[in-house]
Amino acid sequence: MQRILSTQLASHVHETVTIAGWVHRRRLLKSVAFLIVRDAEGLSQVVVTDQSILEGLTEESVVEVTATVTPNEQAPGKVELTEPVIRVLSAVGVQLPFELHRPELTASLPTQLDHAALALRHPARRAALRVAAAATEGFRAALGEQRFVEIQTPKIVGSATESGANVFAIDYFGRPGYLAQSPQFYKQMMVGVFERVFEVGPVFRAEPSDTARHLSQYTSLDAEMGFIEDHRDVMAALTRTLTVMMETITMRAGLAIRSVPGEIPAVHFREALKIAGAPEGEPDLAPAHERALGEWARKEHGSEFVYVTGYPMRKRPFYTHPDPADPAYSNGFDLLFKGLEIVTGGQRLHRYEDYVRVLAHQTEPYEGYLEAFRCGMPPHGGWAIGLERFVARLMNIKNVREVTAFPRDLHRITP
Amino acid sequence: MQRILSTQLASHVHETVTIAGWVHRRRLLKSVAFLIVRDAEGLSQVVVTDQSILEGLTEESVVEVTATVTPNEQAPGKVELTEPVIRVLSAVGVQLPFELHRPELTASLPTQLDHAALALRHPARRAALRVAAAATEGFRAALGEQRFVEIQTPKIVGSATESGANVFAIDYFGRPGYLAQSPQFYKQMMVGVFERVFEVGPVFRAEPSDTARHLSQYTSLDAEMGFIEDHRDVMAALTRTLTVMMETITMRAGLAIRSVPGEIPAVHFREALKIAGAPEGEPDLAPAHERALGEWARKEHGSEFVYVTGYPMRKRPFYTHPDPADPAYSNGFDLLFKGLEIVTGGQRLHRYEDYVRVLAHQTEPYEGYLEAFRCGMPPHGGWAIGLERFVARLMNIKNVREVTAFPRDLHRITP
């Protein structure tokens, strides 16, 4: 008999059906016993009259149940399965390190991460990964609609040129190689090919930061677009993209979230310092300043999002385009979401001479990248969204490790 | 004025419009000169009466052209731009290493790869990357429709356990680490979470093979699904996926390709040896055998695809599920496309005891992976498609480097 899902039971009342899944929980009451079976979509309640049957059905064993769908107002989904014939597909013979059926996992986070294969089955952990999948789906849909083309770029690079520090070194057939910290150079080069490109992929940071928001591998949602006037065209494309991402998350993962405003409020960096009560002349925003700006945007504009534009040039990477009217400040921006930076973007330099100047003629390690500019590049810009930070912030989860399937950090390289 | 694309010109006849793009070619005829401008979608012909204007408009310079759309039966798209006002956004001041306007790039492949930022702008190279983007889009759409959930898994792993050889070693905060050769272990573990999962991501092979089909980084289209009867359920899901991929490629990249048959012919390995004229008892198919099978499938079944099932267990990885009726042979399969293996898949072991047995109790390096089986796993299986090989085969391109934006191999780590 063709297996159906837990969510389909309600449309099969009084029929005999087959479901399959994991034993989520056994509940022994006085006169009746329940087997709760978990599948990819939800839970099913199976009524077992002979309690001795339950003994061998240890939690997380995989079972197939053929039974009658019977209405029961008290049951989840208002139906339960009665008169079951249960077949064990895979029996669990060990004591599990923690229980999955409670609303929250009670094991410590390191224990959960050590036992990821089990912990990720918990509905709360699973929900976060579904949100991440929906976010990437929405990202791609929004960019496809705006005629961006998907690219795949190298994760192994020959020199540590993008920032110089915090890169992982690899042995590349006896030569030194490095793991890419971002697809920045490649996505810019590809603007010369497709005008508008995006990539969803892993990036690597050998940061010795042991915090709740740093991972040594994370998923970067990158986009880059040509033929712009300035960074405001990039912000408009990003705003549209976030709107579709949020809609997709609501649709696919059922998360009730506030919609993205048609226009996200934007403040210049100098203004942002004032709003946050930071000293004039600060070169960057501290986490407390970002939180204050998040509060301000919520109160003044009813928005969970706020753009900060015009960051000082000295704190932005070498390829950043200055504000032509005020060259100490940049055409770069950050997007804060609930008071945390989740996107960095901006307009880039596009003239070869400008790169030669900012690199002080030390162009040799950048040859392959600079060729794009030597061979003609339009004004362009783009952004990068850190997927795990975005999902954690969206779900009000403090530690990015809770929204990452198998996180990698300073201390962790397994499982 | 809002810029329009080359493909939109025909619907603006007699209007004044603005286009933008790269100078693809200058053509000087006796009485008239043409500027051919390339944008992301195609070419536009601009009529220039004062030939001296063309001197500064070197190839690959980025220009914006405001002009009148005028019908001309001889022009590409049957329109051309007349009375142009040309603004240079970015001037090219160097001699280009090769020309882009010929039907094929005449530079050698190494020269093209050295100058990837320029070579990838050639319409033929660009077309291959569009096909790759469409293939991944179709892959995801097909799997979403079949209720697979997208995952992101670690590319840095703690031990070289999957095959043991040909891995890149990295320095992971002073400890040894390795680049993942595939998401195999992780996608299986995630079957315990979502039942059906997929991933599109880079995989790394430190293979010292200097051939037209080996890359040290390639894009793997991975899927894994639970609650199967055997490998035939996996093949059915893969066939459906390939159908959508081919449809998406036709739709998005305009490639005229034969559709995937509703049912792809399948032959058992022993039968395949006979068809290919190979000696009985061979453990694997040589490239010549694969080509012979491709010919056979085309002639006998009118299919460019053919499944070979039941490969001998001794040539398949340790997690392969044997054929219960004939345990020297596996429930593993390869899919050949035009006589070349482009997909490997099969049913996997799902019982913990089976893993302990095949690993001869040397389970320690596999702990995190094996926990999934110890905690209950359904019968499952999956596949991996090598994106670059698939695209190359589809477009009859011999070298995978021609369909990869910035290939990495034994000799190449730049640009």
Side-chain angles (χ1 to χ4, degrees):
Chain A
M1 188 182 299
Q2 184 75 36
R3 170 213 181 190
I4 65 168
L5 294 168
S6 54
T7 43
Q8 297 170 311
L9 286 178
S11 51
H12 291 270
V13 172
H14 303 306
E15 293 173 31
T16 301
V17 300
T18 296
I19 62 154
W22 287 259
V23 174
H24 191 59
R25 187 179 187 184
R26 293 174 288 183
R27 293 188 68 197
L28 291 160
L29 304 180
K30 258 190 195 135
S31 57
V32 68
F34 294 122
L35 188 70
I36 309 297
V37 177
R38 186 187 72 244
D39 66 16
E41 303 295 324
L43 303 174
S44 306
Q45 176 167 304
V46 182
V47 181
V48 182
T49 43
D50 180 359
Q51 299 199 358
S52 67
I53 291 174
L54 286 192
E55 272 162 37
L57 296 172
T58 44
E59 272 74 15
E60 294 308 302
S61 293
V62 181
V63 294
E64 194 178 80
V65 180
T66 300
T68 305
V69 183
T70 305
N72 176 352
E73 283 295 318
Q74 262 67 57
K78 301 190 175 176
V79 286
E80 61 189 10
L81 290 163
T82 56
E83 296 175 68
V85 177
I86 300 170
R87 185 161 77 98
V88 177
L89 299 180
S90 187
V92 171
V94 294
Q95 182 74 31
L96 300 177
F98 43 78
E99 294 180 315
L100 288 187
H101 65 80
R102 302 190 188 281
E104 298 289 334
L105 282 168
T106 50
S108 72
L109 185 56
T111 302
Q112 291 182 37
L113 299 177
D114 286 342
H115 300 278
L118 181 64
L120 294 171
R121 298 180 186 181
H122 188 274
R125 299 293 307 278
R126 202 163 74 165
L129 297 181
R130 266 196 202 273
V131 168
T136 56
E137 182 187 343
F139 180 78
R140 292 192 197 98
L143 292 170
E145 174 201 275
Q146 295 175 83
R147 115 189 144 64
F148 285 69
V149 177
E150 183 174 7
I151 56 172
Q152 312 287 341
T153 67
K155 305 309 162 201
I156 302 173
V157 294
S159 56
T161 40
E162 200 193 320
S163 84
N166 298 339
V167 296
F168 288 110
I170 81 163
D171 171 7
Y172 193 75
F173 299 116
R175 281 181 290 171
Y178 305 92
L179 294 187
Q181 291 184 294
S182 92
Q184 181 64 35
F185 292 178
Y186 295 105
K187 67 178 181 172
Q188 286 185 262
M189 292 160 85
M190 292 304 288
V191 164
V193 179
F194 290 123
E195 297 183 11
R196 297 178 165 208
V197 295
F198 72 90
E199 181 168 19
V200 174
V203 299
F204 305 94
R205 305 280 169 101
E207 288 192 75
S209 310
D210 192 13
T211 79
R213 52 192 259 189
H214 284 93
L215 296 170
S216 56
Q217 175 190 325
Y218 69 86
T219 303
S220 186
L221 309 182
D222 270 275
E224 198 76 14
M225 58 196 283
F227 297 101
I228 59 171
E229 278 303 314
D230 59 26
H231 59 292
R232 286 169 296 188
D233 288 337
V234 179
M235 287 157 61
L238 170 58
T239 300
R240 170 67 194 150
T241 301
L242 285 166
T243 302
V244 177
M245 287 172 72
M246 296 299 232
E247 286 168 0
T248 310
I249 291 167
T250 303
M251 187 170 63
R252 291 270 193 258
L255 202 67
I257 40 181
R258 291 227 294 234
S259 60
V260 179
E263 190 153 351
I264 294 176
V267 287
H268 191 276
F269 182 80
R270 275 178 303 209
E271 185 65 24
L273 285 183
K274 281 183 209 154
I275 292 169
E280 208 178 322
E282 282 285 293
D284 209 346
L285 295 175
H289 302 147
E290 293 186 352
R291 282 193 295 273
L293 282 159
E295 265 309 291
W296 172 84
R298 197 180 58 75
K299 277 193 192 143
E300 295 294 318
H301 295 275
S303 172
E304 293 179 319
F305 294 93
V306 56
Y307 283 115
V308 179
T309 63
Y311 277 78
M313 282 296 282
R314 62 193 153 125
K315 292 298 276 187
R316 304 296 270 198
F318 72 85
Y319 46 79
T320 303
H321 198 293
D323 178 352
D326 193 357
Y329 292 86
S330 71
N331 275 356
F333 63 83
D334 278 5
L335 178 65
L336 310 186
F337 176 48
K338 297 182 180 182
L340 182 76
E341 174 253 305
I342 54 154
V343 189
T344 295
Q347 183 181 1
R348 332 296 189 181
L349 299 174
H350 64 280
R351 288 189 190 84
Y352 180 65
E353 314 82 79
D354 289 337
Y355 280 92
V356 172
R357 183 177 42 76
V358 296
L359 292 170
H361 295 272
Q362 306 296 304
T363 55
E364 196 276 328
Y366 300 88
E367 275 310 310
Y369 170 54
L370 296 185
E371 179 155 60
F373 307 101
R374 204 167 39 225
C375 294
M377 278 284 279
H380 65 284
W383 70 79
I385 306 174
L387 176 63
E388 293 80 0
R389 282 194 192 181
F390 173 69
V391 171
R393 203 68 184 160
L394 192 63
M395 303 183 79
N396 297 312
I397 290 170
K398 286 232 166 62
N399 197 315
V400 288
R401 290 165 187 78
E402 292 178 66
V403 303
T404 309
F406 305 97
R408 292 292 181 260
D409 63 29
L410 187 54
H411 304 296
R412 181 172 292 279
I413 194 173
T414 56
Chain B
M1 188 181 298
Q2 183 76 34
R3 170 213 180 190
I4 66 168
L5 294 167
S6 54
T7 43
Q8 298 170 309
L9 287 178
S11 51
H12 291 271
V13 172
H14 303 306
E15 294 173 31
T16 300
V17 299
T18 297
I19 63 156
W22 288 259
V23 174
H24 190 61
R25 189 179 186 183
R26 292 174 288 184
R27 293 189 68 196
L28 292 160
L29 304 180
K30 259 190 196 134
S31 56
V32 68
F34 295 121
L35 186 71
I36 309 296
V37 177
R38 187 187 70 245
D39 65 17
E41 303 294 324
L43 303 174
S44 306
Q45 177 168 304
V46 181
V47 182
V48 182
T49 43
D50 179 359
Q51 300 200 358
S52 67
I53 291 174
L54 286 192
E55 272 162 38
L57 296 172
T58 45
E59 273 73 15
E60 294 309 303
S61 293
V62 181
V63 295
E64 194 178 81
V65 180
T66 299
T68 305
V69 183
T70 305
N72 175 353
E73 282 296 316
Q74 262 66 60
K78 302 190 173 176
V79 287
E80 60 189 11
L81 290 163
T82 55
E83 298 175 66
V85 176
I86 300 169
R87 183 161 79 97
V88 177
L89 300 180
S90 187
V92 171
V94 294
Q95 182 74 29
L96 300 178
F98 42 80
E99 293 180 314
L100 290 186
H101 67 78
R102 301 191 187 282
E104 298 289 334
L105 283 167
T106 50
S108 72
L109 184 56
T111 302
Q112 291 181 38
L113 299 178
D114 286 342
H115 300 278
L118 180 65
L120 293 171
R121 299 179 185 182
H122 188 275
R125 299 292 308 277
R126 202 163 74 164
L129 297 181
R130 265 197 202 275
V131 168
T136 55
E137 182 187 343
F139 179 78
R140 292 192 196 98
L143 291 171
E145 175 201 275
Q146 296 174 82
R147 105 189 152 67
F148 285 69
V149 177
E150 183 173 9
I151 56 172
Q152 312 286 343
T153 68
K155 305 308 164 202
I156 301 173
V157 293
S159 56
T161 40
E162 200 194 321
S163 83
N166 298 339
V167 296
F168 288 111
I170 81 162
D171 172 6
Y172 193 74
F173 298 115
R175 280 180 291 171
Y178 306 91
L179 294 187
Q181 290 183 294
S182 92
Q184 181 64 36
F185 291 179
Y186 294 104
K187 67 179 180 170
Q188 287 185 261
M189 292 160 85
M190 292 304 287
V191 165
V193 179
F194 289 123
E195 299 183 11
R196 297 177 166 208
V197 295
F198 73 90
E199 181 168 18
V200 174
V203 299
F204 305 93
R205 305 279 168 101
E207 288 193 77
S209 309
D210 193 13
T211 79
R213 52 192 260 188
H214 284 94
L215 296 170
S216 57
Q217 176 190 325
Y218 69 87
T219 303
S220 186
L221 309 182
D222 270 276
E224 198 77 13
M225 59 195 284
F227 297 101
I228 60 170
E229 277 303 313
D230 60 26
H231 58 293
R232 287 170 295 187
D233 289 337
V234 179
M235 288 157 60
L238 171 57
T239 300
R240 170 67 194 150
T241 301
L242 285 166
T243 302
V244 177
M245 287 171 72
M246 296 300 231
E247 287 167 1
T248 310
I249 290 167
T250 303
M251 187 170 62
R252 291 271 192 259
L255 201 66
I257 40 181
R258 290 226 294 235
S259 60
V260 179
E263 189 153 351
I264 292 175
V267 289
H268 191 276
F269 182 79
R270 276 177 303 207
E271 186 65 24
L273 285 183
K274 281 184 208 154
I275 292 167
E280 208 179 322
E282 282 284 295
D284 209 347
L285 296 174
H289 301 147
E290 294 187 352
R291 283 194 295 274
L293 282 159
E295 267 307 291
W296 172 84
R298 198 180 56 75
K299 277 192 192 145
E300 295 293 317
H301 296 275
S303 172
E304 293 179 320
F305 292 94
V306 55
Y307 282 116
V308 179
T309 63
Y311 278 77
M313 282 296 282
R314 63 191 152 126
K315 291 299 275 189
R316 304 296 271 199
F318 72 86
Y319 47 78
T320 304
H321 198 293
D323 178 352
D326 194 357
Y329 293 86
S330 71
N331 275 356
F333 64 82
D334 276 7
L335 178 65
L336 311 185
F337 176 49
K338 297 183 180 180
L340 181 76
E341 175 253 304
I342 54 155
V343 189
T344 295
Q347 184 181 358
R348 331 296 189 184
L349 298 174
H350 64 280
R351 288 188 190 83
Y352 180 65
E353 315 80 78
D354 290 338
Y355 281 92
V356 173
R357 184 176 42 76
V358 298
L359 293 170
H361 295 271
Q362 306 296 305
T363 54
E364 196 276 328
Y366 300 88
E367 275 311 310
Y369 170 53
L370 296 186
E371 180 157 59
F373 306 101
R374 206 166 38 226
C375 293
M377 278 284 280
H380 65 283
W383 71 78
I385 306 175
L387 177 63
E388 293 80 359
R389 282 193 190 182
F390 173 70
V391 171
R393 203 65 183 164
L394 191 63
M395 302 183 79
N396 297 312
I397 290 169
K398 285 233 166 61
N399 197 316
V400 288
R401 290 165 187 78
E402 291 178 66
V403 303
T404 308
F406 305 96
R408 292 291 179 261
D409 64 28
L410 187 54
H411 304 295
R412 180 173 294 279
I413 196 173
T414 55

